[in-house]
Amino acid sequence: MQILLRLVRYQIWALCATWPPLLLCLLALGLAWLGASALPAGSVLLATGAAILVFDAAARLRQAEMIRAEILCIGGLQGSALKVFRQARASWCSRRAALAAASAAGQGRTARELVEKWGYRPWHVFPDHAFSARSPFLRAGFWKSVLGLRQ
């Protein structure tokens, strides 16, 4: 029974860490399916985007596991755990994964207070500087992070 309970708890935690890219993936697949007959090229682009979002969800899960392990090792959001948590604040998906990791490690309230103190709100879904010359969409490091090629 304990093993089943741990497995269910992990699945819920993993879903909390990865729901933003999974939701966007389902949205892209739905739009691709709806527009398949009207605009086949657009559907291919949307399906490609959905595939990239699956990789992003896997990368966010790995990131959340790493952040959670660091918080548990340090015993709270301080020192190197705070540094790792802070690195995840630039994008919505990373922020949600970091918040889920902190909650799983028992530091959810502290993490939410930090994120709010940094000025992020739930409607801040685009990465920092998304619509400027410093846009992360134009940088290889962002795409390596999305595809899970960089930790």
Side-chain angles (χ1 to χ4, degrees):
M1 188 66 175
Q2 283 286 62
I3 294 173
L4 182 63
L5 186 60
R6 273 193 209 142
L7 181 64
V8 168
R9 220 181 277 151
Y10 178 79
Q11 295 301 323
I12 291 170
W13 175 75
L15 186 60
C16 288
T18 59
W19 75 265
L22 291 176
L23 178 68
L24 293 172
C25 176
L26 290 174
L27 181 64
L29 285 175
L31 289 173
W33 181 72
L34 286 174
S37 61
L39 191 61
S43 293
V44 170
L45 284 174
L46 285 166
T48 303
I52 290 171
L53 287 163
V54 168
F55 285 113
D56 187 33
R60 291 315 118 230
L61 182 58
R62 281 193 306 276
Q63 180 186 31
E65 288 171 344
M66 191 250 322
I67 291 170
R68 179 176 176 257
E70 188 71 26
I71 292 171
L72 289 173
C73 179
I74 298 297
L77 273 171
Q78 54 197 6
S80 61
L82 180 59
K83 180 182 175 189
V84 171
F85 185 81
R86 188 179 290 133
Q87 290 171 346
R89 72 182 178 178
S91 78
W92 181 49
C93 295
S94 293
R95 220 172 19 255
R96 300 304 324 162
L99 286 168
S103 291
Q107 298 292 318
R109 176 179 281 169
T110 306
R112 285 188 301 277
E113 288 171 358
L114 269 174
V115 169
E116 192 171 306
K117 187 175 98 177
W118 291 332
Y120 293 104
R121 300 293 183 261
W123 57 85
H124 291 149
V125 295
F126 290 105
D128 292 348
H129 311 291
F131 303 105
S132 69
R134 300 180 339 191
S135 175
F137 298 125
L138 304 175
R139 303 193 187 286
F142 174 81
W143 293 106
K144 285 180 182 179
S145 169
V146 166
L147 296 174
L149 302 175
R150 181 180 72 163
Q151 292 296 347

